[in-house]
Amino acid sequence: MTSAVPGRPAPGAWPSPIEAEDVARADGVPGWAELVPEPSGLAVWWDEPRPLEGGRRCVVRRSPDGTVQDLLPDGFNARSRLHEYGGRAWRPVSLPAGGPAGGAPDGPAPALVFVDWHDQRLLLAAPGARPRPLTAAAPDAAGDPPVRYGDLYAPPGRAEVWCVRESVGAGPREVRRALVAVPLDGSAVDDPARVRVLADGHDFLACPRLSPDGRHLSWIGWNHPAMPWDGTDLCVAALDGPDGPDGAPRVVAGGADCSVVQAEWRDADTLWAVADPDGWWNLRLVPLDGGPDRAVAPRPEEFGGALWRPGAAWFAPLPDGRAVAVHGTGSDRRLGVVDPSDDSVRDLPLPYSDFTATVHAADGRAVCVAGSPDAHHRVVLADLAAVGTGGPRHEALTGEALAPRSAGWLPHPRTEVFRDADGQPVHAVLYPPRNADHALAPGELPPWVVFVHGGPTGSSPMALDLEVAFFTSRGIGVADVDYGGSTGHGRAYRERLRGTWGVVDVADCAAVARGLVARGLADERRLAVRGGSAGGWTALASLTSAGLYAGAVSHYGITDPLAWAADTHDFESRYLDGLIGPLPEAAERYEERSPVRHAHRASGPALLMHGLEDVVVGPEQSRAFAAALEAAGLPCTLLEFPGEQHGWRRSSTIVAALNAELAFYRRIFGLVEDPAEQSGERPAARSARSAPRTPDAPAPRRADPDPAGAAVGRPAGPPSSADGPARGGTR
């Protein structure tokens, strides 16, 4: 399709200085951030993605004098496979002076305990020393590690780390989990019995915490078929000395219809908890004496999110009984101090609108990871004394080097509310095309792509993302949809997807696409849809049912829910019970909604991309849809990437995937010369499998996988923090 003005490039073909290589260099979100007291002052530790180092995550330290250094040598990767999506994979710990763990002779020395991706063992990196193991080696180093650790926590005053241990049997569903204590002296390497079990009894456990007086252990647990955003139990057990709980635990909050996603001790008798008994994840105070809990500063806002990765921290308790917490709705989020004495929330004067699930506080300061429409997610250090003053008193510790060559090519996003056929609201963030050298001519309508986040229990943040700018700077609009089922809008909005996955999400994305056309923003002949994982499912279900899109792009997407439910990993093995229905009773419903079963109804071509080591959504899912399109005589391209798992982490993969996606849009939008397409003929089925060699990926070690959010790339869900999911969507 030519431009409305002869001699000018059409939107979608505008030249842009933002290349795929720029996206790869800037890609990824900093992970778990923590303030670490040191003899010389307060240090800040966090982890960050390294696309140019094979996609590993490296823990770094910013010293009190501002010096930044890597805490992990080359070849080590702080990432956990807990639940396959990972979780908090490292913690600073204090080593006793001169002790067997290697403490400094002149006092406690902060050291790093972390899960190394390659064998999932716990390792200790003491200052100036090479990391050494704390747990036993896997019996079969060539296969999947049978034991994984995650959600690390350092209990004060104890020379051990507490965490979730996941023991994997012969099959992906033969999994046992427990909260365990691992000694820091390395004695469990040769004697695994030195790892003590603190709690078990649930299919899933998270958030182990020691009370300030050392007398109680708290944690969160839940069981199949519930997901952690459905219902969880907040448990407390008395501790009998240093060895473990004394007696049966008590459930002090939560339940089948109440989701507790984080809990921290306020004092020896009370817990802070984020829970949603009233339909919103609000902060609550939970007493140990059996009395009723109460909401603090209750409001129709979210103070938490979906617990895809154990270790998520939406708030941090303060020594004076208050808490610093992320709160808001949709893409409007803030960081504030919550005071139970007057139920107030006083926001910090920060120029950010999105905060990931990592908040920590110490010595009157808070650290978080935040982003905004004109700022990449970065580590931010804030002075809590700035609350209510209006003064800036904050510092961005990362992110400045990620600025593109010119702000004139960055989109100016805005939130919009559309309506579905029943008048229900559908939330979206719109990124109209923007280019410093080109603009739409009067009456000229650009192509748009509907972005579908993963999860599907996730959300779309509104923060600077060069992946989006890669398209918008070339004249392609992006609509990032928080369809029914998304987080950030309360439980009722989340549960619109209960039993309706493949229906409500498809309809909501179509409502946004049609709304763009009705508002005179988009060319109805040039609409596309794309997503990753669960978002890939929605994209392909839309292609085969909505009759609206010129094509669809799926990054490691689900295409056959029956097959996926039969062989996916344990954490999500019952997820579809709530999204579609329990099996075998709802098998017919699975068939009705399967994109593979309806590939012959596709309204345009598909581009499918998949990592060959994906254990969350196996590459067979994309292969099945490609084969179904080929059997129907419809066009499809399948690209497969060795060494990649559930998301793109290597820079070469990110570059290849983005360039392939751009070429696909230009083809389906008529921006390249293709005689078959220009004449309206359907080209013969095309299925190409690409196995590009990745020069930036280290050969000797197995590459990284993954939800969650993040891996490298748009965090999805969650931006969810730390290690996971990767480019293209979540989970």
Side-chain angles (χ1 to χ4, degrees):
M1 179 175 290
T2 58
S3 171
V5 179
R8 295 179 56 192
W14 294 345
S16 169
I18 301 174
E19 301 292 347
E21 290 78 6
D22 298 312
V23 180
R25 279 192 294 272
D27 201 19
V29 176
W32 321 99
E34 186 159 342
L35 296 166
V36 183
E38 297 182 357
S40 59
L42 201 61
V44 185
W45 294 16
W46 66 88
D47 72 78
E48 59 189 28
R50 298 284 176 85
L52 297 177
E53 298 177 21
R56 76 176 183 122
R57 293 198 75 94
C58 183
V59 182
V60 299
R61 166 186 173 269
R62 182 185 187 264
S63 67
D65 66 8
T67 304
V68 177
Q69 66 177 123
D70 288 357
L71 293 176
L72 287 184
D74 291 346
F76 290 92
N77 181 358
R79 283 193 57 234
S80 167
R81 276 190 67 176
L82 178 68
H83 299 179
E84 294 298 349
Y85 288 130
R88 181 72 191 249
W90 61 269
R91 282 280 186 179
V93 295
S94 294
L95 300 181
D106 55 350
L112 173 69
V113 173
F114 69 100
V115 180
D116 188 41
W117 165 255
H118 303 98
D119 58 11
Q120 292 297 289
R121 298 173 77 181
L122 282 176
L123 274 67
L124 175 73
R130 189 166 179 81
R132 59 181 180 78
L134 295 179
T135 55
D140 179 10
D144 284 340
V147 178
R148 306 161 180 175
Y149 300 90
D151 197 1
L152 274 57
Y153 165 70
R158 301 195 177 210
E160 54 191 18
V161 61
W162 293 0
C163 55
V164 179
R165 181 181 66 190
E166 183 176 73
S167 303
V168 182
R173 308 291 173 80
E174 298 176 21
V175 182
R176 301 184 311 278
R177 298 178 183 89
L179 296 179
V180 298
V182 179
L184 297 179
D185 61 7
S187 57
V189 173
D190 297 319
D191 182 7
R194 292 296 305 276
V195 176
R196 295 180 294 108
V197 174
L198 298 171
D200 53 17
H202 285 87
D203 293 333
F204 303 93
L205 305 101
C207 203
R209 296 294 185 268
L210 178 67
S211 63
D213 61 2
R215 297 177 60 187
H216 291 91
L217 163 70
S218 66
W219 71 93
I220 295 169
W222 68 98
N223 294 314
H224 283 309
M227 299 300 287
W229 43 87
D230 296 328
T232 61
D233 296 328
L234 175 56
C235 303
V236 174
L239 292 178
D240 181 17
D243 292 331
D246 177 24
R250 294 183 294 124
V251 176
V252 296
D257 299 312
C258 176
S259 167
V260 182
V261 292
Q262 184 188 352
E264 310 285 346
W265 290 92
R266 181 174 185 248
D267 53 45
D269 302 310
T270 313
L271 283 151
W272 282 106
V274 174
D276 67 346
D278 301 323
W280 294 86
W281 276 310
N282 278 192
L283 273 170
R284 306 181 75 86
L285 289 178
V286 181
L288 292 190
D289 63 6
D293 64 302
R294 78 168 183 92
V296 179
R299 58 192 63 200
E301 293 183 3
E302 302 283 39
F303 287 72
L307 188 61
W308 279 102
R309 299 173 193 86
W314 292 273
F315 77 93
L318 299 176
D320 60 7
R322 300 179 299 165
V324 58
V326 174
H327 68 103
T329 57
S331 57
D332 179 20
R333 312 281 280 174
R334 297 169 298 285
L335 185 69
V337 174
V338 181
D339 191 339
S341 69
D342 59 3
D343 278 355
S344 65
V345 181
R346 295 178 175 86
D347 292 331
L348 290 161
L350 301 175
Y352 302 105
S353 57
D354 187 72
F355 296 82
T356 69
T358 177
V359 178
H360 191 254
D363 293 349
R365 282 172 281 182
V367 66
C368 61
V369 174
S372 70
D374 57 1
H376 294 273
H377 283 94
R378 70 266 317 263
V379 179
V380 177
L381 181 64
D383 188 345
L384 295 179
V387 170
T389 67
R393 303 177 75 171
H394 68 273
E395 181 183 2
L397 307 185
T398 64
E400 299 308 317
L402 302 182
R405 280 167 271 184
S406 173
W409 282 268
L410 299 180
H412 288 164
R414 63 179 186 269
T415 58
E416 295 279 355
V417 177
F418 296 82
R419 297 286 169 178
D420 68 7
D422 298 323
Q424 295 280 347
V426 181
H427 302 276
V429 179
L430 302 187
Y431 298 84
R434 184 167 181 261
N435 183 299
D437 296 330
H438 298 278
L440 297 171
E444 188 172 43
L445 296 176
W448 280 73
V449 179
V450 173
F451 274 36
V452 190
H453 67 69
T457 311
S459 62
S460 300
M462 187 168 67
L464 177 59
D465 185 342
L466 284 191
E467 181 186 30
V468 172
F470 178 79
F471 297 111
T472 58
S473 64
R474 288 168 167 78
I476 300 173
V478 169
D480 217 345
V481 183
D482 266 2
Y483 48 88
S486 301
T487 58
H489 308 278
R491 180 179 277 262
Y493 194 83
R494 220 164 59 233
E495 293 192 341
R496 284 184 55 204
L497 208 59
R498 182 164 290 277
T500 62
W501 192 41
V503 178
V504 164
D505 49 325
V506 170
D508 284 0
C509 289
V512 171
R514 292 191 175 100
L516 292 170
V517 173
R519 297 181 188 187
L521 299 175
D523 182 346
E524 64 179 344
R525 298 164 298 177
R526 295 190 294 166
L527 298 171
V529 59
R530 68 95 84 162
S533 192
W537 150 276
T538 300
L540 297 178
S542 298
L543 185 72
T544 58
S545 64
L548 182 63
Y549 302 102
V553 176
S554 169
H555 298 253
Y556 40 89
I558 298 169
T559 68
D560 183 344
L562 272 175
W564 183 78
D567 65 11
T568 193
H569 60 125
D570 183 60
F571 175 64
E572 290 184 283
S573 62
R574 302 292 300 277
Y575 193 12
L576 297 191
D577 283 28
L579 292 174
I580 300 178
L583 290 170
E585 300 90 329
E588 185 176 348
R589 200 181 303 164
Y590 284 65
E591 296 277 359
E592 290 171 353
R593 299 182 191 172
S594 170
V596 165
R597 302 298 191 274
H598 305 296
H600 62 283
R601 301 194 314 215
S603 58
L607 169 63
L608 312 172
M609 292 181 276
H610 225 113
L612 290 180
E613 293 186 19
D614 193 338
V615 296
V616 174
V617 178
E620 304 80 18
Q621 290 283 317
S622 288
R623 292 171 184 166
F625 191 75
L629 284 178
E630 185 173 353
L634 301 176
C636 175
T637 300
L638 171 62
L639 303 179
E640 295 181 335
F641 298 98
E644 291 284 11
Q645 297 78 29
H646 201 61
W648 315 139
R649 287 186 169 76
R650 297 173 172 179
S651 61
S652 56
T653 306
I654 296 167
V655 170
L658 274 176
N659 284 333
E661 189 169 349
L662 177 62
F664 176 79
Y665 293 143
R666 286 181 167 170
R667 187 168 69 247
I668 66 172
F669 293 151
L671 298 171
V672 294
E673 293 298 326
D674 185 326
E677 290 180 356
Q678 295 297 330
S679 66
E681 299 175 5
R682 282 193 181 275
R686 295 191 295 261
S687 179
R689 295 185 181 179
S690 171
R693 300 193 68 83
T694 52
D696 59 329
R701 287 191 162 188
R702 186 179 176 189
D704 300 332
D706 154 38
V712 177
R714 312 191 76 234
S720 234
S721 75
D723 53 356
R727 172 67 54 194
T730 323
R731 297 164 285 284

